[in-house]
Amino acid sequence: MPRLIRLVAAMTLASSAPFSALAEPSFKTPVSYEDADARAGVILAKLSTAEKLQLVSGHNTFYLKGYPQYGMPELYMSDATGGVNIRRNVSNLLEKSTAFPNPLALAATWNPGLAYQYAHSVGEECRAGGIAILLGPGMNMYRHSQYGRNFEFWGEDPFLAASMVERYVAGVLDTGTIPTIKHFIGNETDFHRRTSDSVIDERTLHEIYLPPFKASIDAGAMAVMTSYNQLNGEWCGQSRKVITDLLRGELGYKWLVMSDWWSVWDAEKIMPSGLDLEMPGEKFIKADGERLLLAGKVAPADLDRMAKSLIRTCIAMGLYDRPVQDSYFLKKYPEHEQVALQTARESMVLLKNQGVLPLKKDGTGKILLTGRYVDNLARGGGSAEVMGYDNVTLLQALKDTYGDRLDYVKEPTDDQLKSASVVLLSTGTSDSEGWDRPFDLPAAEEQRVTHAVALNPRTVVIVNTGSGIKMTGWNDQAAAILWAWYPGQNGNRALAEILTGETNPSGKLPMTIEKKFEDSPGAGYLPAGEKLYTGWDQDNNMSFPLYKVDYKEGVFMGYRWYESRKIAPLYAFGHGLSYTTFAYQNLTVTPGVLAPDGRVSIEFDVTNTGKLAGTEIAQIYVRDPGSAVARPEKELKGFGKVTLQPGETKNVRVRLTPRAFAYWDVATHAWKAEPHEYQILVGAASDAIKLEGKVTLQ
């Protein structure tokens, strides 16, 4: 009899193959909101106007201003989501930090339990370094593959992103560190991000871009960072509609809101907007606040609200009652290394394999290793860059694995490429905050790959990148393609395990990889006549004309776009191969009629039909064939991750509420689930549906 695995809940929490026990998704502060508010009022009464203005303006680039005489210590903030970015010019309290695989790689694990452990590890290193506020997780959406910061986020699907970030937020909070969810909202490009205006309609905003923020707030998030861009004509960091009405009102958020660094421009708008903290704080509130107060252009109550919110948040988290730095957490680093390694194991996606992998340790024949990221570590740049320690290069990992069978040749000759038993070719990109990068590989990289696959049909292409790239020029000729992301400080060990078969790959794409960029829903976002740039100079160019980024695809983003337009991608959302095979059977949907306050149970069996143990990520989609509004062909609403021995079967159960079938109704400004029949689709990827069922909503 197959074992029952209850793996995925409906709209708020998805679970997965266990890496550790899952904690409750909500967080209770050490000090209640009510008590923190009362204590904040007492402190606020002691502060002068000048002290309040300094408090809400940031301090020394990455600090909250402290007033020890009032029991308020100076507090340090640090980036980012994939580990702690150590800035030696700001703080020397943390000697080293673990470099984890990038967050988009973590999303490819489809493992919220692992996301909790990953984030808990990052939070512990914050405590070791006296960091009160982590400036992450980032949770903007993968709208197009050229976005330079895609590697920092969670992919194209709001359900998957929400499922992962709520566990990330919980993991950081449980260490006593405040996570900052960012960038609120509509920051899906870094091309002149400071002068871009994201035009997003109400329904699209609620169905695609808000769910990760809502899930994080429900999980207890205590800091929000606004974005550089405008939303529908207003700068997010000083927009009352964005901060007070949407974030604080509709989403119910009640804690600290800060600006991104140098992203607001007008103190008269900042102070009544709902923002609490201007970062880094040299320019506007500190410079103009007192003048505006004296002139009556800003009310004293606005300044008091800002200061009190900041103080209340710090008190509620206990930051005024205990030391932030705790050397106890220094001894946890070996555990963090193992979390990073496990993340790499579960994140790497085998896109293609024509029998060349696994490449056993005890095999015969020479292995030629060459390419871009062989003797240097691939990583993303900008605020998310984490240098790591004891970094393991691909060369080191593969030498340790294959010994004398492995030959590293930086610039191999044609004869060397042809004569190798197998070629392992590393390629990829160097993505960064501050600019977008082309979908195409650099010309030299493209030529390197196409040349190698043409000369040797047993070429394995290893891709290190934080976003999709163009592969149509060599995809068909490659014997195998292994998507290895930015794997972190020891992730190349995991890569070696996957190449040998010691670890069976199980990662699945959290985004679609298109054939050409013009196929993308975000194509055409650059202003007419403009080209991509590299480097930080243009990021700070405020003379660049304000331009609109029209989210014209609406809710048809990611796989929703490709399916609605019938555009075949190169690799679909949710795709990922294994060294074994899986069969899906016996779908049941009960009850067949779902009450408005009920739940539907979706059950099916997954069997390992191959000869090796492996892990499968089963995906559950909903299709609404009878909606009154245009809806996607299918939408992810659940998933389950099961590990199976050869021949083993497990029964997966997923429960959905009516909310899983709803869309955002712009007439009522609320979620609406129409009473009719819906289809339930179960499969191994968005383009690999194995089972179909149905349920009727009353």
Side-chain angles (χ1 to χ4, degrees):
M1 179 179 293
R3 284 183 286 163
L4 174 63
I5 308 294
R6 297 179 182 179
L7 285 173
V8 185
M11 282 300 289
T12 56
L13 177 64
S15 53
S16 58
F19 184 76
S20 70
L22 292 179
E24 290 297 320
S26 59
F27 174 78
K28 293 183 179 179
T29 56
V31 179
S32 71
Y33 181 91
E34 292 74 19
D35 289 346
D37 186 69
R39 285 177 56 184
V42 173
I43 294 175
L44 184 68
K46 299 176 182 179
L47 296 177
S48 67
T49 297
E51 288 171 332
K52 294 173 189 175
L53 289 169
Q54 285 189 320
L55 179 65
V56 302
S57 299
H59 178 64
N60 286 348
T61 309
F62 282 93
Y63 286 85
L64 298 182
K65 175 70 175 175
Y67 294 106
Q69 66 270 35
Y70 306 131
M72 301 167 62
E74 182 179 81
L75 297 173
Y76 179 44
M77 300 182 282
S78 184
D79 295 297
T81 305
V84 178
N85 183 329
I86 298 175
R87 289 183 168 87
R88 297 294 180 198
N89 63 322
V90 177
S91 173
N92 289 310
L93 291 179
L94 195 63
E95 293 185 2
K96 63 181 183 179
S97 64
T98 305
F100 295 85
N102 63 290
L104 189 60
L106 177 57
T109 71
W110 296 58
N111 188 341
L114 184 54
Y116 177 92
Q117 290 293 336
Y118 179 117
H120 198 267
S121 301
V122 175
E124 288 183 333
E125 294 189 13
C126 288
R127 292 297 308 278
I131 298 163
I133 300 174
L134 177 73
L135 300 174
M139 54 186 68
N140 295 109
M141 299 299 290
Y142 188 118
R143 180 173 177 257
H144 64 82
S145 54
Q146 293 189 162
Y147 183 21
R149 303 189 76 171
N150 277 326
F151 74 95
E152 297 184 49
F153 308 135
W154 308 89
E156 69 185 35
D157 184 79
F159 180 87
L160 175 60
S163 301
M164 299 296 285
V165 297
E166 71 176 356
R167 305 307 305 140
Y168 188 105
V169 165
V172 175
L173 285 169
D174 284 347
T175 68
T177 304
I178 292 178
T180 304
I181 57 176
K182 63 181 187 182
H183 307 85
F184 197 78
I185 192 167
N187 184 186
E188 277 75 39
T189 178
D190 258 29
F191 178 85
H192 288 286
R193 59 184 172 173
R194 298 172 191 269
T195 58
S196 65
D197 178 10
S198 298
V199 181
I200 313 176
D201 66 78
E202 178 186 344
R203 181 183 169 201
T204 300
L205 194 66
H206 285 81
E207 291 192 22
I208 303 295
Y209 297 96
L210 286 176
F213 287 95
K214 175 60 174 171
S216 299
I217 291 167
D218 291 346
M222 296 183 70
V224 172
M225 182 189 296
T226 56
S227 55
Y228 284 105
N229 55 280
Q230 291 188 355
L231 176 68
N232 298 327
E234 288 190 290
W235 300 109
C236 289
Q238 56 189 44
S239 168
R240 186 173 182 85
K241 289 181 181 178
V242 169
I243 303 171
T244 294
D245 297 345
L246 182 57
L247 177 62
R248 294 194 184 279
E250 189 173 323
L251 299 189
Y253 179 73
K254 59 185 180 180
W255 303 106
L256 173 66
V257 182
M258 70 180 78
S259 72
D260 206 340
W261 273 234
W262 302 286
S263 68
V264 288
W265 320 107
D266 185 345
E268 191 174 347
K269 292 183 179 179
I270 297 167
M271 296 178 72
S273 69
L275 194 81
D276 302 321
L277 177 64
E278 178 199 339
M279 291 302 298
E282 303 106 338
K283 291 191 175 181
F284 297 102
I285 294 177
K286 191 179 292 185
D288 298 337
E290 189 167 4
R291 177 185 63 81
L292 292 169
L293 287 165
L294 289 173
K297 293 184 177 181
V298 172
D302 291 326
L303 177 59
D304 286 349
R305 185 209 57 76
M306 296 175 74
K308 190 176 185 183
S309 179
L310 189 155
I311 296 167
R312 181 196 303 122
T313 301
C314 293
I315 292 172
M317 196 56 170
L319 298 177
Y320 293 174
D321 299 328
R322 57 165 171 81
V324 174
Q325 187 176 26
D326 190 339
S327 59
Y328 163 80
F329 293 103
L330 294 172
K331 64 183 180 182
K332 303 297 287 295
Y333 278 77
E335 296 178 18
H336 304 165
E337 292 177 30
Q338 290 304 306
V339 173
L341 181 61
Q342 184 64 19
T343 304
R345 287 180 179 129
E346 295 189 35
S347 69
M348 294 186 185
V349 183
L350 184 61
L351 293 181
K352 177 182 180 182
N353 184 24
Q354 293 183 321
V356 68
L357 297 178
L359 189 60
K360 298 293 186 180
K361 287 183 182 180
D362 55 359
T364 59
K366 281 290 186 179
I367 302 169
L368 174 63
L369 174 65
T370 190
R372 182 172 185 177
Y373 290 117
V374 174
D375 56 2
N376 62 314
L377 203 64
R379 60 167 63 91
S383 62
E385 185 171 21
V386 184
M387 300 306 294
Y389 60 92
D390 296 338
N391 291 318
V392 179
T393 65
L394 182 61
L395 178 59
Q396 179 184 344
L398 295 185
K399 269 292 185 186
D400 292 345
T401 300
Y402 293 112
D404 293 339
R405 285 184 66 202
L406 187 82
D407 288 333
Y408 169 46
V409 183
K410 188 171 185 179
E411 298 291 344
T413 66
D414 288 1
D415 286 342
Q416 287 172 317
L417 287 168
K418 289 177 182 177
S419 63
S421 173
V422 173
V423 176
L424 300 179
L425 175 61
S426 166
T427 192
T429 64
S430 180
D431 302 352
S432 178
E433 174 190 7
W435 57 91
D436 289 355
R437 58 99 169 137
F439 182 59
D440 293 4
L441 283 172
E445 282 302 302
E446 181 72 12
Q447 197 278 333
R448 188 207 305 265
V449 182
T450 55
H451 189 66
V453 299
L455 291 176
N456 193 320
R458 288 177 59 80
T459 297
V460 178
V461 182
I462 299 165
V463 182
N464 290 122
T465 186
S467 195
I469 59 171
K470 184 179 178 181
M471 295 186 285
T472 49
W474 44 268
N475 177 79
D476 292 347
Q477 290 76 37
I481 302 173
L482 181 59
W483 202 264
W485 310 103
Y486 297 135
Q489 66 184 52
N490 56 9
N492 283 317
R493 298 281 188 208
L495 194 154
E497 292 175 7
I498 289 172
L499 290 176
T500 65
E502 181 180 347
T503 292
N504 197 341
S506 63
K508 299 217 174 189
L509 290 176
M511 79 289 185
T512 304
I513 302 177
E514 63 268 44
K515 292 178 179 177
K516 58 183 186 295
F517 186 64
E518 291 75 14
D519 289 343
S520 165
Y525 73 102
L526 295 179
E530 293 294 332
K531 296 181 180 180
L532 297 176
Y533 56 84
T534 300
W536 288 98
D537 290 346
Q538 289 303 311
D539 184 60
N540 295 308
N541 179 12
M542 290 304 299
S543 66
F544 189 83
L546 184 70
Y547 74 99
K548 293 185 182 297
V549 181
D550 187 0
Y551 288 48
K552 58 186 180 302
E553 72 280 2
V555 299
F556 296 92
M557 199 267 280
Y559 62 91
R560 297 161 167 82
W561 168 266
Y562 296 97
E563 292 179 348
S564 68
R565 295 299 180 99
K566 300 194 173 5
I567 300 171
L570 190 62
Y571 292 105
F573 173 82
H575 172 79
L577 303 178
S578 170
Y579 295 147
T580 190
T581 55
F582 301 97
Y584 289 68
Q585 301 174 68
N586 305 325
L587 174 65
T588 62
V589 182
T590 54
V593 178
L594 178 60
D597 59 350
R599 293 191 300 176
V600 60
S601 178
I602 300 163
E603 294 188 50
F604 54 94
D605 294 338
V606 180
T607 301
N608 184 341
T609 54
K611 297 180 180 180
L612 298 173
T615 299
E616 173 69 329
I617 299 169
Q619 301 156 41
I620 297 87
Y621 297 86
V622 168
R623 174 183 291 154
D624 182 355
S627 177
V629 300
R631 298 193 68 176
E633 288 292 308
K634 66 173 78 75
E635 297 176 85
L636 182 74
K637 297 299 178 181
F639 55 88
K641 188 168 184 176
V642 289
T643 298
L644 300 163
Q645 296 299 314
E648 184 179 13
T649 297
K650 288 181 180 177
N651 179 268
V652 179
R653 177 186 293 172
V654 178
R655 288 178 175 172
L656 302 181
T657 67
R659 173 67 179 274
F661 302 87
Y663 65 89
W664 184 264
D665 180 26
V666 296
T668 60
H669 309 292
W671 292 99
K672 182 176 183 179
E674 295 176 328
H676 54 238
E677 184 177 280
Y678 294 79
Q679 294 174 333
I680 304 295
L681 310 175
V682 176
S686 61
D687 67 344
I689 300 303
K690 308 294 185 181
L691 303 171
E692 297 189 19
K694 60 185 179 181
V695 64
T696 299
L697 267 63
Q698 286 183 337

